Amino acid sequence: MKSAKDIFSEYLSKQRLKMTPQRRALLEAFLNEEGHISSEELYNLIRKEDSSIGQATVYRTLKLLAESGIAKAVDFNDGVLRYEHKYGHDHHDHLVCEHCGKTIEAVDPEIEHLQEELAKKHGFVLTHHEMYLFGVCKECQDKSE
Amino acid sequence: MKSAKDIFSEYLSKQRLKMTPQRRALLEAFLNEEGHISSEELYNLIRKEDSSIGQATVYRTLKLLAESGIAKAVDFNDGVLRYEHKYGHDHHDHLVCEHCGKTIEAVDPEIEHLQEELAKKHGFVLTHHEMYLFGVCKECQDKSE
DNA sequence: TTTATTGCAAACTCTTTGCAATGTA
DNA sequence: TACATTGCAAAGAGTTTGCAATAAA
């Protein structure tokens, strides 16, 4: 299986774009992060290793990572766009705890199927969907008792 | 059944807030609009009737309408927050056409039920959810053939 | 009379863009 | 060499906020 780096390199050359040390470093930092990272968070991480990298480059690179299929933008309604790993990861939706901000990734094949059906019923061809379930997680429920 | 105006008045007095001509006019304009309206769109509408109303008041009033349960914020990922009627309207999700921007409101009771189940399975108590299905509508499919 | 509201402009947050210098293919 | 990329600072979009004047309860 191709590595994320291969995918990214191939995407760049296909688009006649260039690989640079900044892009290499940002890809690596992104891949080392587990969760849902914002541009600013990634900027703060990368700074520790190379303080010469600018914010704009981080924004630009994350966009590129999303275009190449390495990353996927997710929006938890907290005012910033976040990115999660996409390449090599299955599709999933998110449960978001409104108290502690924790997110859980989950899929329900039946829901996925019914979404397709619902779209079809209205004449739509689905390209993608977003489903966020907001609520209170187990731990926060216990705490507030 | 109470009118939206009653609901809003009651909400205001309960919060020790005041009814003003601006709020009255904005509520009316909002109720007269059918779709999903942004603050700027509502501002442009209200201006025609009373050009002295400021943008900030529109932002502030829409927020108030949402708090009172009259309106509900929806986010179609187009960079602006929109509001739709909530009071007296059943819950629904949205199909969004990525070509023409048209939205269709739809509900699938089975999906709703499975969302609850999925949340429960992960220990969550659901407060609300967002589900947007993005795709291409019938008309746009036909056009691009 | 007390307290909320207004319009205005300035401030704010997140993100994008123009540009001259620099680096990659 | 030709052209993409960089960092920077400035610009942009959408939204919020401080404030003095005004108006509702």
Side-chain angles (χ1 to χ4, degrees):
Chain A
M1 193 194 187
K2 284 176 191 167
S3 72
K5 292 182 190 180
D6 294 338
I7 298 283
F8 192 46
S9 300
E10 283 170 20
Y11 175 78
L12 291 179
S13 66
K14 202 176 300 171
Q15 304 290 316
R16 302 241 155 67
L17 304 177
K18 291 165 181 173
M19 182 53 93
T20 65
Q22 289 91 334
R23 286 177 182 172
R24 236 184 299 268
L26 284 165
L27 170 59
E28 183 139 1
F30 173 74
L31 292 174
N32 284 336
E33 267 308 297
E34 260 320 307
H36 311 94
I37 200 170
S38 69
S39 185
E40 181 151 25
E41 286 162 358
L42 185 56
Y43 175 57
N44 288 329
L45 278 179
I46 204 74
R47 270 178 135 178
K48 293 178 192 157
E49 296 175 12
D50 179 351
S51 63
S52 71
I53 292 187
Q55 282 220 53
T57 301
V58 181
Y59 275 102
R60 288 188 276 228
T61 304
L62 277 171
K63 202 165 258 190
L64 235 34
L65 289 176
E67 286 165 17
S68 71
I70 300 294
K72 179 180 188 315
V74 289
D75 181 359
F76 297 151
N77 275 358
D78 62 350
V80 283
L81 204 54
R82 299 175 171 283
Y83 291 85
E84 63 180 18
H85 295 185
K86 179 173 180 189
Y87 179 66
H89 292 248
D90 288 338
H91 161 74
H92 55 259
D93 296 299
H94 296 92
L95 287 150
V96 183
C97 177
E98 294 184 309
H99 281 159
C100 66
K102 185 176 65 186
T103 64
I104 290 180
E105 303 182 345
V107 203
D108 182 327
E110 204 171 340
I111 292 181
E112 302 286 318
H113 175 245
L114 289 169
Q115 287 171 333
E116 282 292 345
E117 292 295 309
L118 182 60
K120 199 184 291 174
K121 198 169 99 184
H122 291 277
F124 268 62
V125 172
L126 226 53
T127 55
H128 64 287
H129 70 258
E130 285 182 23
M131 186 173 91
Y132 297 100
L133 305 182
F134 296 95
V136 184
C137 74
K138 194 80 188 66
E139 289 69 38
C140 290
Q141 288 167 47
D142 294 345
K143 259 181 231 155
S144 62
E145 258 166 23
Chain B
M1 193 193 187
K2 285 176 191 167
S3 72
K5 292 183 190 182
D6 294 338
I7 298 284
F8 192 46
S9 300
E10 283 170 20
Y11 175 77
L12 291 179
S13 65
K14 201 176 299 168
Q15 305 290 317
R16 303 239 155 68
L17 304 177
K18 293 164 181 176
M19 181 53 93
T20 65
Q22 291 90 334
R23 286 177 180 171
R24 237 186 298 269
L26 283 166
L27 171 59
E28 184 139 1
F30 173 75
L31 292 173
N32 283 336
E33 267 309 295
E34 261 321 305
H36 311 94
I37 199 170
S38 69
S39 185
E40 181 150 26
E41 285 162 0
L42 185 55
Y43 175 57
N44 288 330
L45 277 179
I46 204 74
R47 269 178 136 181
K48 292 178 194 158
E49 297 175 11
D50 179 351
S51 62
S52 72
I53 292 186
Q55 282 219 53
T57 300
V58 181
Y59 276 102
R60 288 187 276 228
T61 304
L62 278 172
K63 202 166 260 188
L64 235 35
L65 288 176
E67 286 165 16
S68 70
I70 300 294
K72 179 180 190 313
V74 289
D75 181 0
F76 297 151
N77 276 357
D78 62 349
V80 283
L81 203 56
R82 300 174 172 284
Y83 292 85
E84 64 180 19
H85 296 184
K86 180 174 181 189
Y87 178 67
H89 291 248
D90 289 337
H91 160 73
H92 56 259
D93 295 300
H94 296 93
L95 287 149
V96 183
C97 177
E98 294 184 310
H99 281 158
C100 66
K102 184 176 65 188
T103 63
I104 290 181
E105 304 182 346
V107 203
D108 182 327
E110 204 171 340
I111 292 181
E112 301 288 319
H113 175 245
L114 289 169
Q115 287 171 332
E116 281 293 344
E117 292 295 309
L118 183 60
K120 199 184 291 174
K121 198 169 100 185
H122 291 277
F124 268 61
V125 172
L126 226 53
T127 54
H128 64 287
H129 70 258
E130 285 182 22
M131 186 174 92
Y132 297 99
L133 304 182
F134 296 94
V136 184
C137 74
K138 193 82 189 65
E139 290 69 39
C140 289
Q141 288 167 47
D142 293 346
K143 260 180 230 156
S144 61
E145 260 167 21

